[in-house]
Amino acid sequence: MNSSQPLEKRIPYLEDNRYSQDDLGLTYTAASSTFKVWSPLAEQAWVNLYDSADADTSSRQIEMSLEDTVWELTVNEDLKGLFYTYSFIHDGVETETADIYSRAVGLNGNKSAVIDLAETDPEGWSEDHFERVSRITDAMIWEVHVEDFSSDESATFKKEHRGKYLAFTDDQVHVNDQPDQPAGLPYLSALGINYVHLLPAFDYENDETSPAYNWGYDPKNYMVPEGKYASDPADPLSRIREFKEMVASLHKKGIGVVLDVVYNHTFTFDDSWFQLTVPDYYYRQESDGALSNGSGCGNETASERKMMRKYIIDSIVYWVEEYHIDGIRFDLMGLHDVDTINKLRRTLNERGHSDVILYGEPWNAGSVAIYEPNKPADKYHIGDFEDGIAIFNDEFRDAVKGPVFEAHKGGFLQGANGHEDSAYATNDLIASILANTQSDVGRFRLPDEKQWARNPSQVVTYASAHDNLTLYDKLVASTLKKPAYERNLDLIQMNKLNAALLYSSLGGVFMQAGEEWGRTKYGDDNSYRSSIDINLLDWTRTYEHIDLVNYYKGMIAIRKAYAPLRDDTNQTGDAVFFSQLTENLLAYTIPNTTGEGDWSMMAVVVNSNQQPDRVELRSSYPLPKEWTIIANRHTAGLAPLGTITGNKLIINPREVLILVS
C-alpha cells in the first residue's frame, strides 16, 4: 500500500495501521529529543532543524525510521531553542509541515519549537487549584474574547496588558474616574460567576503582530496558545507561560477556565498540517471524493476516524493536564460523532477529570457526511450521550428573545408571543426553562417533542453568545423603529426580565460577556473580524447601567442560594408547577425537593405584556400562606423586599416577582 492508491483503499489501510501510544510529537530532555509522527503511507520522512523560526533553510535534515506505523528519530543532544518541521515523501511529492502535536511554536505558528515546558510554569503552578463543580448545573459561565476583555481604554488595565492574557492578572482595575466601579478581574470576582469561557485561544491562522481582529475560529495549531495575546509572540515560551498565568489568576479568584475548541475544520485544507502529514485522512469526503463542508468553511474533519479521534482526545487531555483547563466547549459539536465525544468523556473521567465540564453546539453549518453506524453529536442524538456532556439550548435562546436569524422578531421579553408573526409561544419557553426534560408541567401538558433531554445536566441554558446580535442589540432591533443603542429604560427592563428567567431556569447557565450591562455591538450580528472598537467590552456601561449589573449579580446570588435551581436530576423538574396562563405571562412554583438551604419553596412570576394581569400560584406541594419578595422589576438579591400574603396576586406590566417561603 502507498499514497498513490485510491482513497477507498487508503482509508481502511490507515485505520488498520493506527497508533495507540501517547508519545506522538516531541519528547524533550536536555540529553535527547525524540520525535514521533504517524504517517504510515509516507515513503520517507525527515526532521528538519532550524536555528530560528524565520529561517528559510534548515541547519540539519535528519532521516527518520518507520517503526510500528510511526516515523521516529532520537537526537542525543540538547536541542532546546531550535525549531523543527517534518518532511515527507507522499506519492513521490515532498511536503514540509509543522508537527500536528506541536507543544510550542514560533511566530505565526509556522514552525514547531523545541522547549523545556517546565520553564513555562509560573511560580506556584504546581499548587494551582480551582474547586471545580461536580455537575454543570452548578456552572455560571461568562463568555469572552481575550482581546475584548481589556482593550477598552476607559478601564485602568496596564497599557502593556491590553488585549493580552496578562490583563486577566491585573487585580486593581476600575472604570476611569470611577474608582468604586470595578472592571476586569475585580469585576468578575464581584459579579459572582464561576467560569470564564474563552473564545478560541489556541493558535489560529493570522499575523500575530498585526492589529487585525478575529474571533479565532481559524484553527492552525491545536495544542499551543495563540501568540497574538502574548507579550512576545516570537518567543515560544511567552504565550505558554502567560496563558498559565492567566489561568492561575482566575483560579485564585474562584473562577474556572473553559476553552472553546474548533476541531470541526481547519482554516486551510491543501496546506494544513493534517493534510501535509497524512493526505486526505483527517478530512471527510463526499461519495465523489470532493471535500464535505458541514462547517461552512470549506472542509470538515473526520472525527470518526481513529487517529483523528485520538488527536482530539490527546490534545484536550493535554490542555486539561498541562494548562489546568476546567472545561471544554465544542464549536459545531454536531459535526463530530457521538462515539468520539463519549470516549473523550470516559477518558477524562478515567484520568481523574470527571469534574471538567463538556458542552457544545448541537448543530452544524451545512450537510454532514457522517454515516451509519456513526451518529452526529447533535440534539437529535442527545439520548446517546454519556452523562457529563451538555448542549446549548437554542430553544430557550429563541423563545425568550425571538429568533436569532430574524432580527425584527421578538419573543417573550418583548411581549411578542401570540402575535401574528410570532415564531414562538410561551409554552416553548416553559419547556426550555425546565431544560426540556418535562412534558407534564402542572395541569397541562406540552408536546412530547419538547421533552428531549434526559436530565438538566445535558443542557446549557442561555440567551446570548458571541454569535448573532447581542441581547441588547436584539431588543433594539425587535422593539425600536429606529436603532438607538444608548440607555433605554424599556430595554433595560426587558434585560432584567431575561436575567430573572435565565437564572431561575434548570441546566447550566451561560451568558455573553456584557449581557449584564446591555452590551452593544451597534447592530453588528457577525463581528468575527470587525474592528476591536465594535467588539471590545465597553466598561463604562457597567457604571451607566449599574442597576442592570446589580440585578444580574442579585440573580446569580439567588441561584447560588437555592439548590433546586441547580439540580442535575429530574427531581426538581418533576415538581415544578406552572399555572396555565395567557401568552407572555409566566407563573411557576419550585418546591425545595433537595432539602438544602433555608427556603422551602420559590415562585417566579413574570409579565412581559403591557397591561397588568391576575395570577394564581399553584403547586402539587403545600403552598405557604406568606411569601417573601426577593426580586422585582427594580432589584434582585437575597435581601427581603417585602411580603405577599396568599397565592393570588396582580402582576404589573413588564414586572417580575421572585418569591420565597
Side-chain angles (χ1 to χ4, degrees):
M1 178 63 64
N2 57 54
S3 300
S4 65
Q5 295 294 312
L7 186 66
E8 59 269 21
K9 291 186 178 181
R10 280 185 285 135
I11 298 302
Y13 176 86
L14 291 166
E15 290 288 79
D16 290 341
N17 287 272
R18 60 191 180 275
Y19 184 72
S20 60
Q21 302 303 308
D22 60 0
D23 57 354
L24 290 173
L26 167 64
T27 301
Y28 167 83
T29 69
S32 66
S33 291
T34 297
F35 303 85
K36 289 191 175 183
V37 57
W38 180 78
S39 185
L41 288 178
E43 295 148 36
Q44 284 181 279
W46 298 267
V47 171
N48 307 302
L49 295 175
Y50 291 86
D51 294 331
S52 66
D54 57 0
D56 294 327
T57 306
S58 63
S59 57
R60 273 189 287 174
Q61 185 178 67
I62 311 171
E63 189 164 5
M64 308 178 81
S65 58
L66 185 63
E67 303 285 345
D68 187 23
T69 76
V70 167
W71 294 94
E72 61 179 271
L73 168 70
T74 297
V75 179
N76 293 311
E77 56 185 274
D78 191 351
L79 300 181
K80 186 172 69 174
L82 299 182
F83 296 83
Y84 72 98
T85 61
Y86 297 127
S87 288
F88 302 100
I89 301 293
H90 298 298
D91 193 19
V93 177
E94 183 174 345
T95 64
E96 185 176 5
T97 173
D99 190 343
I100 64 171
Y101 276 83
S102 296
R103 270 75 167 184
V105 295
L107 182 66
N108 297 331
N110 292 324
K111 291 184 177 70
S112 307
V114 182
I115 68 166
D116 181 353
L117 269 170
E119 296 178 0
T120 68
D121 292 348
E123 185 178 353
W125 185 241
S126 61
E127 286 78 46
D128 172 63
H129 177 70
F130 167 65
E131 194 66 39
R132 296 169 178 158
V133 300
S134 61
R135 54 191 188 175
I136 198 169
T137 51
D138 284 321
M140 284 164 274
I141 305 166
W142 195 78
E143 179 206 45
V144 70
H145 184 280
V146 172
E147 202 169 348
D148 295 358
F149 182 70
S150 57
S151 290
D152 181 18
E153 294 186 4
S154 69
T156 61
F157 293 97
K158 294 178 181 178
K159 183 178 180 180
E160 64 273 20
H161 291 176
R162 292 194 187 280
K164 308 297 184 183
Y165 299 125
L166 290 179
F168 289 87
T169 69
D170 289 349
D171 59 3
Q172 300 292 326
V173 187
H174 59 80
V175 177
N176 289 348
D177 304 321
Q178 299 294 336
D180 294 330
Q181 179 54 53
L185 186 64
Y187 170 85
L188 288 181
S189 183
L191 182 61
I193 54 95
N194 55 359
Y195 284 85
V196 163
H197 165 141
L198 297 175
L199 266 66
F202 58 82
D203 187 56
Y204 59 88
E205 180 62 54
N206 65 328
D207 177 354
E208 294 176 340
T209 63
S210 167
Y213 181 89
N214 199 294
W215 279 347
Y217 292 88
D218 298 331
K220 187 169 185 176
N221 294 292
Y222 284 97
M223 299 174 71
V224 186
E226 166 56 31
K228 184 182 181 185
Y229 312 137
S231 59
D232 184 1
D235 175 6
L237 291 95
S238 173
R239 64 181 76 197
I240 299 173
R241 182 186 302 112
E242 291 167 15
F243 190 102
K244 290 178 177 179
E245 290 182 56
M246 170 184 67
V247 171
S249 177
L250 286 163
H251 283 175
K252 287 176 182 176
K253 295 295 185 180
I255 299 171
V257 180
V258 176
L259 190 66
D260 195 327
V261 295
V262 192
Y263 290 101
N264 62 80
H265 74 280
T266 53
F267 178 68
T268 60
F269 167 71
D270 289 331
D271 57 356
S272 75
W273 306 149
F274 286 146
Q275 182 64 5
L276 294 172
T277 301
V278 189
D280 304 320
Y281 175 80
Y282 289 100
Y283 298 89
R284 294 192 186 114
Q285 296 83 17
E286 303 288 358
S287 57
D288 62 358
L291 287 173
S292 53
N293 185 25
S295 69
C297 299
N299 63 76
E300 64 182 88
T301 57
S303 61
E304 69 279 9
R305 293 180 186 164
K306 295 179 177 63
M307 291 302 288
M308 185 63 198
R309 177 177 293 164
K310 174 178 170 57
Y311 183 80
I312 292 172
I313 294 171
D314 285 352
S315 52
I316 287 175
V317 167
Y318 177 72
W319 278 104
V320 169
E321 295 184 349
E322 181 66 31
Y323 289 93
H324 303 180
I325 291 297
D326 308 293
I328 298 294
R329 177 268 194 191
F330 278 91
D331 180 65
L332 298 184
M333 192 167 74
L335 275 182
H336 299 309
D337 67 291
V338 168
D339 286 350
T340 294
I341 304 302
N342 281 344
K343 187 173 182 181
L344 169 64
R345 179 73 276 172
R346 289 196 303 271
T347 302
L348 288 170
N349 295 353
E350 290 163 2
R351 296 179 72 95
H353 308 303
S354 60
D355 52 2
V356 169
I357 58 175
L358 292 182
Y359 59 98
E361 294 179 317
W363 49 76
N364 54 68
S367 60
V368 183
I370 298 178
Y371 304 111
E372 292 289 350
N374 300 301
K375 301 174 183 178
D378 56 20
K379 185 162 72 174
Y380 303 105
H381 295 93
I382 191 172
D384 296 308
F385 290 173
E386 298 194 3
D387 291 340
I389 302 165
I391 65 173
F392 283 102
N393 194 344
D394 55 337
E395 294 185 29
F396 182 95
R397 177 197 70 192
D398 288 355
V400 78
K401 69 177 183 181
V404 294
F405 297 116
E406 297 178 273
H408 69 285
K409 288 189 176 182
F412 181 87
L413 298 179
Q414 301 92 328
N417 288 339
H419 291 194
E420 186 175 340
D421 67 342
S422 175
Y424 291 89
T426 300
N427 279 356
D428 296 313
L429 184 57
I430 289 173
S432 55
I433 285 171
L434 295 172
N436 291 91
T437 60
Q438 307 291 323
S439 292
D440 292 310
V441 294
R443 292 185 179 176
F444 63 103
R445 184 175 174 85
L446 300 173
D448 289 342
E449 63 267 20
K450 288 297 176 182
Q451 184 180 359
W452 45 257
R454 190 163 61 241
N455 54 57
S457 67
Q458 288 195 305
V459 174
V460 172
T461 305
Y462 78 117
S464 70
H466 66 277
D467 280 322
N468 313 116
L469 293 171
T470 68
L471 174 59
Y472 198 81
D473 286 357
K474 172 67 174 179
L475 297 175
V476 168
S478 57
T479 305
L480 305 182
K481 292 181 179 179
K482 185 178 180 181
Y485 300 101
E486 64 274 9
R487 181 177 174 86
N488 179 298
L489 289 177
D490 288 338
L491 304 190
I492 294 293
Q493 186 56 35
M494 294 178 200
N495 211 326
K496 289 181 180 179
L497 298 186
N498 176 76
L501 290 166
L502 179 64
Y503 284 94
S504 63
S505 293
L506 301 182
V509 174
F510 172 106
M511 68 174 170
Q512 182 185 25
E515 177 186 301
E516 74 277 18
W517 67 66
R519 181 182 183 179
T520 181
K521 295 185 183 180
Y522 306 98
D524 190 334
D525 65 352
N526 190 19
S527 65
Y528 75 101
R529 58 179 183 183
S530 300
S531 71
I532 186 61
D533 292 336
I534 293 292
N535 283 286
L536 60 74
L537 296 184
D538 180 356
W539 288 100
T540 62
R541 287 176 85 93
T542 63
Y543 178 75
E544 295 166 354
H545 299 165
I546 189 63
D547 57 330
L548 182 55
V549 171
N550 286 337
Y551 200 94
Y552 271 80
K553 190 184 298 185
M555 284 307 308
I556 289 170
I558 288 171
R559 186 174 184 84
K560 288 180 177 179
Y562 197 50
L565 299 177
R566 298 176 281 109
D567 191 356
D568 63 332
T569 73
N570 287 326
Q571 183 173 308
T572 295
D574 290 343
V576 173
F577 198 107
F578 279 82
S579 301
Q580 192 167 10
L581 301 168
T582 60
E583 292 288 355
N584 308 306
L585 183 62
L586 282 172
Y588 50 103
T589 52
I590 311 167
N592 189 348
T593 59
T594 70
E596 298 177 38
D598 298 328
W599 301 330
S600 61
M601 186 175 285
M602 176 179 286
V604 180
V605 186
V606 186
N607 180 16
S608 61
N609 289 307
Q610 297 189 42
Q611 61 278 339
D613 214 325
R614 296 180 182 274
V615 168
E616 181 177 0
L617 298 173
R618 299 177 181 274
S619 178
S620 57
Y621 286 67
L623 287 166
K625 294 181 180 180
E626 183 178 82
W627 297 93
T628 298
I629 304 168
I630 57 172
N632 57 24
R633 66 180 285 120
H634 302 294
T635 189
L638 302 181
L641 302 173
T643 59
I644 290 177
T645 302
N647 298 296
K648 295 181 180 180
L649 54 100
I650 295 175
I651 182 77
N652 290 322
R654 289 186 177 155
E655 176 69 278
V656 57
L657 289 172
I658 296 183
L659 316 172
V660 293
S661 170

